[in-house]
Each structure stands twice: as structure tokens, then as C-alpha cells.
DNA sequence: TTGTAAGCGTTATCAC
DNA sequence: GTGATAACGCTTACAA
């Protein structure tokens, strides 16, 4: 089914069908109705490739996800779902590219094959080759997370430094003096992964300001890592009475380690952190945490990207999210 | 950058460039090399839209995922990742369509806009309107999960009936006589969701054959639902000594309820089920379970789909997975 | 071995 | 208010 067939059946020119559907020039009510009838009957929709070729835009966004080797966390998954959803709401399609570096074939296709009008990137490194590549290719993009040069680029991000800092202050207010930070994996932190280093910054700054003893621990993105990490903390640093975590995938393990050690939360140990609401509510007792607004972040990423696509000269915009800490039941006064 | 520019810079005709890149007709080594140099220098790749228009195929697969309202489970997420990965390996792109019913705009664009060469569908209902729509449109598709008429269609699926049956037999062999099935949510089961009804079948059949007392419980796809479901079982059906579950998202809650109730796994209560390996290993003790081979299933789905696209007349093929139960530590002899 | 040209289905310009 | 037609960038049948 193509526009020529619609035109033939409605007894008009192809251009008239095009205009009737786009509304870009007036069409008499009579012919518009006749065309619409045929269109509805045959369930016609313009061929995407032909339209993209002619218009020079694909009405498609690229979403670069970590390759399957690196398992996606619930938060990343939420971003994928929310980006797809937000794009669908404005009639944009989303093309998935599971790429790690900058020389991946599917990533290259997106760019030089002009498969998409713009790209959303997740799991950004402070120095990210994919960002360089997109800039060089002149492809509009928005990152979820920011690079080391955040002023020049378009992004949405969580303010990990301030969130972790707030967590520390909250624990300090409750009287805790000896606390731990459960960070992401050592590999990620070493690779210059933003959340890792910014959580570190926020933690050391706040710990120092409040005169606390703070220890930092890297931890893999899974429950077993969380369990062994916290088990280690409990045995080797018995003075520690509270922890703040940005590693949500480790939470089930954190919980298990505390239970095994017979620590009551929050009576004899407090836990606070940054996590998707679902993870926070799955914790027992429910986790006092800054709830990551992943749905909103995905939606804003799409919004920024469409804006940048519409005006390639526009000055860079970003959005830093610092959601409030939701008090649930996992943090209490320090035992004395 | 387009093929004309490459041709001009290499001093040949556009068709020669095309042939040099596709290899569809011999090109002298000398010119091939000259062209390749220019291509490499300018990082040229054929425009995807133009190529799709000319060839009548998009080299893109559609992947229909549940809309964000219904949160994706870890298993669904694994499917998404593995499909994207498998497609990328054969240089196909994946277009995401978050659609529930058959009249979603993004779903319709896939089909009548000819945005993709074929579609992969997940979360299939026994009677699924999306399947009907794809058949009517003549769009090749493969489902992850199967409909009520599995002979006519292409799919990959888990053999829930046989897996659950095996779990029951395993528990019976261990001496359990009073067991429970934790199914998916009541809504899903009522809506004719395959895994739900097939788990039911396998359970009742095996329970009957072994002369056991079996009770079935529906449970939402999250930890809190799992916790209250199992808590209810323990108080209201004290005779039950073991359960089999196909609801992996409920597992953390299942564990919590057992711990709260002071039941030792596997000493005083046994748990077996069907789950992604990651979920099974997160359980304490690790869960004796049939490990869902999501990576392989996604890859096979892509393989079947490409096959069907290549030969639209081919007779329907499918693949039913019945992975063995991996013995871990969560099931033991019935306490007497 | 290479070049010429038609045509894929659209949209937009120009003409009436 | 509507129709004819060129052009988007590519692949491929046909010519040389």
C-alpha cells in the first residue's frame, strides 16, 4: 500500500493525499473526507523509509545501552522503559544499540548511516569515547549522567554528591559518628564513572564537615557482593553503626548480611541511600532513601534531545536531579 | 556525505562505489582500493533510509515490550538485552515499541509504516490481539511465549508445565506430601497468560499422579506480594512443607516470609522453582531451580525471525525449552 | 571492468 | 483548491 494507490482510489493527485494527511496546505473538506475514508479502509501509513529519505530525518532516537555482558541494573532498565515510553508519547521510535565503546558496528550505523535523529547515552564515563565520536559526527545527543566537561554538553543526571552528603548529614544528626559508604564496583570507580567519584566527593566532604569517621567500600552490582561487603564491614570495622549506599543492586545482600550478623535495623544499625523506589520499598524495614526519579529523568532526556534536534545551535541545557530523602524505617538514632 | 560524493572523489560512477562496497559484482582491485580509501577517510556508510527504500527491507527488527506501567521483570529485561545483542551480531537493528494492545500508535507505525522487517513479541496471551494484527498485516513475527494456537505460529517458549511438574516430582521424591504453587498474578492468570495456565496444568497433573495435596496461589510480581502470599500460606496452611514457584520477582519476599516465620530452608521448609540464574543464586540458600536460559531464548528468537523473514512461506518453527533443574541448596527431605 | 539510468514512496515546489 | 514533477540516496538491470 502506498500513497499512489490512495491517490488513485480517491481520484486525486498523490500530492493532495500528502497534504490532506499533513495539513500543510488547505484541502477542501469534501476531498479530505474522501481521502480519509480510503486511508482508513486500507489502514494506510506513509512508508517510514521514503519519508525519512525525503525529509532528511528519521523520527527515531537511538538509545545506547550497555552490552549484555554487563547486566543492566533495575535503574538502567527503568531508564530504557521510560525513554521508550516518553518517545512513544511524541510519536518517536527508539532504536536500541548495545554498545560499549565507540567503534561498535551498531553504534557506527546509528551515526554514519543516519539511522536516527539523535542519541541518548547511558552509563557515561567522565571521559567517554562515545561522546567524542558523537560530537565529531555532529549527531545531537543527550547523556543520562554527565562527563567531566558538563558545561558544553546536554544531560540529565542525579546529584550524587549532594544526595550522599545529605545522607551523611542525616546520619550525623541521628548521632552516628562512624559510618561507611557502599560505592559501586572498583572497576567502575577506577574507570572514572561519574556516580562513583561524585558519591566519593560528597561523602568525604560531609564526613569531614561533621567530623565523623568515614570509610568507603567498593562493591559489585549484585546481592552476593553486597552481602560479603557488609559482612566484612561488620566484622572488621565493628565501630561502624550506619552505612549509606548508592549501590541498589547490592541491597538484598546488604540486608542479608545484617540479618546474619544479628543486627537490628534501625535499632542497632542504620542504612540510608540512593535507590529506585521499588528497591527502597523491598528493603526491610523500608529504606530511608533518595528515590531516583528514573521515569522523569528518561522523559526529560527525551525532551532535551528533541529540543536539541529542533535547534542544533541551541546552547547546552541540562537538568540535575536531587530528589528529597524519603524517610522510611531504616535509619534511627545511634545506639550508645 | 553520500555515495555520489564518494564516487566523485574516487573518480568512478556511483554504481561502482555501490558494487565495490557490496561485492555484488567484481571490481578491479585498483579501483576497489581507491574507493575504500575515500570511504575510510570520510567514514562513509550508506544512508539507511535510502537503502531501505530501494531494497524494500529495513534491516531492523521490532521488539514489542510491555508498557512502563507494567514493570518489566528481570527475565523480560534479559530478553530485551539478549534480543538486542543477538540482532547486533548479525547487523540488524532493534526498534523498541512499548505497546500493550493492538491499536497502539507505535505498534501501528511498525506495521503499516513498514519500519521493520519483522517483530518479536513478549508477554503473550493465549489469545493475543497483537498476534492477530500481525498476521492480518502479513508481518513476520516470532513470539517469546506461545498463544493458544501454537502450531500455526513461530515462537520460543519455556515448557512451564513440564518444569513445574518436575519440581513437584522432585519434592514428592523428597517425601513432601503437602505442597504449594506460587503462580503469577491473578490478573495475568485470568487474562489467559500462558505460563500461568501451563504452570497450573503441570502442577495439578503431577500432584494428582503422585497423590499429593496441592494448593495453588496467585501472587503479584514483586517482593511484598511474595512476602504476604507466603506468610498467608504458613499461617493458614501449616501442613504445607514445600513450595514451587514460577514467580521470580516474588522470591525476595518469599525468603523474608520464611525467615520471619522462623522456617529453616531446607531443614523445615523446601523451595524449588523456575527462575533466572541470577535470582536463584540470590536466594539463601541458593535456589534449586530450572534456570531460564533467557540469553539463548532471545538469540533463538532472532534466529527464527530472520529465517522467517528470508522465507515467508516457510512452515512454522518453534523451540520449547525445558532446562534441567539445577540442584542447589533450597530443597531437602520433608521433616517428619 | 565500468558507466548510465530507472525507480523505490515520499514531500515540496511550481504551475494552473 | 488541486495536479504534475523533481528530488531525497541508494541499488541494480542494462549497455558499453
Amino acid at each position: 500500500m502506498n500513497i499512489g494507490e490512495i491517490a488513485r482510489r480517491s481520484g486525486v493527485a498523490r500530492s493532495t493525499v500528502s497534504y490532506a494527511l499533513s495539513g500543510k496546505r488547505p484541502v477542501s473538506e469534501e476531498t479530505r473526507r474522501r481521502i480519509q475514508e480510503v486511508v482508513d479502509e486500507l489502514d494506510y501509513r506513509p512508508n517510514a523509509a521514503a519519508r525519512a529519505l525525503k525529509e532528511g530525518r528519521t523520527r527515531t532516537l537511538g538509545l545506547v545501552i550497555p552490552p549484555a555482558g554487563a547486566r543492566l541494573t533495575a535503574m538502567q532498565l527503568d531508564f530504557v522503559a521510560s525513554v521508550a515510553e516518553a518517545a512513544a508519547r511524541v510519536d518517536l521510535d527508539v532504536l536500541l544499540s548495545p554498545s560499549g565503546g565507540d567503534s561498535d558496528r551498531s553504534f557506527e550505523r546509528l551515526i554514519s548511516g543516519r539511522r536516527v535523529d539523535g542519541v541518548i547515552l547511558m552509563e557515561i564515563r567522565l571521559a567517554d569515547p562515545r561522546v567524542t565520536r558523537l560530537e565529531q559526527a555532529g549527531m545531537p545527543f543527550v547523556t543520562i549522567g554527565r562527563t567531566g566537561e558538563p558545561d558544553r554538553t546536554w544531560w540529565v543526571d542525579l546529584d550524587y554528591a549532594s544526595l550522599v552528603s545529605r545522607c551523611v548529614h542525616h546520619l550525623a544528626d541521628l548521632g552516628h559518628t562512624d559510618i561507611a559508604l557502599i560505592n559501586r564496583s572498583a572497576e567502575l570507580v577506577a574507570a572514572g564513572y561519574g556516580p562513583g567519584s561524585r558519591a566519593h566527593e560528597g561523602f568525604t566532604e560531609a564526613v569531614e564537615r561533621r567530623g565523623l569517621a568515614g570509610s568507603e567500600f567498593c562493591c559489585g552490582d549484585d546481592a552476593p557482593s553486597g552481602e560479603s561487603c557488609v559482612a566484612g564491614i561488620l566484622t572488621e570495622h565493628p565501630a561502624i553503626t550506619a552505612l549509606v549506599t548508592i549501590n541498589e543492586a547490592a541491597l538484598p545482600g546488604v540486608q542479608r548480611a545484617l540479618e546474619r550478623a544479628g543486627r537490628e535495623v534501625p535499632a542497632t544499625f542504620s542504612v540510608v541511600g540512593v535507590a529506585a523506589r521499588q528497591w527502597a520499598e523491598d528493603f526491610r524495614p523500608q529504606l530511608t532513601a533518595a528515590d531516583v526519579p528514573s521515569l522523569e529523568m528518561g522523559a526529560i532526556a527525551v525532551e532535551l534531545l528533541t529540543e536539541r534536534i529542533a535547534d542544533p545551535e541551541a546552547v547546552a541545557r541540562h537538568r540535575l536531579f536531587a530528589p528529597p530523602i524519603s524517610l522510611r524505617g531504616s535509619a534511627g538514632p545511634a545506639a550508645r
Side-chain angles (χ1 to χ4, degrees), chain A:
Chain A
M1 195 45 43
N2 62 36
I3 201 173
E5 182 64 16
I6 305 293
R8 206 183 54 69
R9 299 213 192 189
S10 342
V12 296
R14 290 180 324 190
S15 54
T16 303
V17 174
S18 178
Y19 285 121
L21 291 175
S22 71
K24 289 189 182 170
R25 94 178 178 190
V27 171
S28 81
E29 182 50 29
E30 160 63 10
T31 47
R32 202 202 55 72
R33 209 185 29 71
R34 207 166 63 242
I35 292 171
Q36 190 62 53
E37 266 169 22
V38 180
V39 164
D40 289 343
E41 182 196 339
L42 300 185
D43 193 36
Y44 164 78
R45 260 174 208 79
N47 177 298
R51 174 183 260 197
L53 179 57
K54 180 59 183 155
E55 291 189 323
R57 61 174 178 148
T58 60
R59 297 165 189 260
T60 305
L61 307 181
L63 178 59
V64 179
I65 61 173
R71 279 201 40 254
L72 277 78
T73 68
M75 194 170 109
Q76 292 164 357
L77 167 60
D78 283 347
F79 286 142
V80 173
S82 69
V83 164
E85 198 87 4
R89 276 201 295 277
V90 290
D91 288 332
L92 291 170
D93 286 313
V94 171
L95 205 55
L96 229 46
S97 172
S99 326
D102 62 337
S103 53
D104 192 285
R105 286 211 306 281
S106 94
F107 185 66
E108 286 302 328
R109 267 202 308 272
L110 285 194
I111 301 175
S112 26
R114 307 242 73 114
R115 298 220 55 154
V116 298
D117 299 331
V119 170
I120 292 177
L121 238 43
M122 1 192 312
E123 292 294 285
I124 294 298
R125 307 296 161 97
L126 285 174
D128 203 299
R130 301 168 300 176
V131 167
T132 325
R133 178 73 184 91
L134 288 167
E135 281 175 336
Q136 168 217 331
M139 170 73 73
F141 67 95
V142 169
T143 57
I144 297 181
R146 59 201 196 276
T147 65
E149 290 185 285
D151 290 339
R152 269 181 32 248
T153 57
W154 296 63
W155 48 263
V156 298
D157 201 0
L158 267 182
D159 191 353
Y160 277 99
S162 120
L163 292 180
V164 167
S165 167
R166 277 197 232 155
C167 289
V168 170
H169 283 291
H170 178 54
L171 291 175
D173 291 345
L174 289 169
H176 295 273
T177 55
D178 217 315
I179 67 181
L181 168 67
I182 312 264
N183 207 326
R184 303 284 293 277
S185 75
E187 292 75 36
L188 275 178
V189 173
Y193 179 64
S197 31
R198 297 200 187 91
H200 166 81
E201 286 171 27
F203 185 72
T204 39
E205 179 272 338
V207 154
E208 188 166 337
R209 174 167 317 202
R210 297 298 293 256
L212 311 180
S215 326
E216 185 172 343
F217 302 87
C218 287
C219 174
D221 285 353
D222 53 271
S225 303
E227 184 168 1
S228 67
C229 176
V230 171
I233 293 176
L234 293 179
T235 58
E236 283 157 40
H237 303 77
I240 290 179
T241 58
L243 65 83
V244 14
T245 173
I246 64 160
N247 190 326
E248 56 179 22
L251 278 176
V254 169
Q255 169 146 59
R256 219 144 45 209
L258 290 168
E259 286 169 359
R260 307 256 131 174
R263 305 297 290 255
E264 286 283 327
V265 175
T268 64
F269 203 90
S270 289
V271 183
V272 298
V274 180
R277 207 183 58 170
Q278 147 216 6
W279 285 101
E281 294 182 346
D282 270 14
F283 203 77
R284 283 296 171 282
Q286 296 197 359
L287 190 73
T288 288
D291 300 348
V292 178
S294 9
L295 256 66
E296 193 184 354
M297 289 176 71
I300 301 288
V302 169
E303 196 178 306
L304 289 180
L305 184 52
T306 52
E307 194 178 312
R308 183 171 180 188
I309 290 169
D311 178 10
E313 303 306 319
V315 52
R317 289 187 48 202
H318 4 100
R319 184 81 159 271
L320 194 55
F321 289 79
I325 293 176
S326 300
L327 283 181
R328 300 196 181 87
S330 64
R336 14 171 317 124

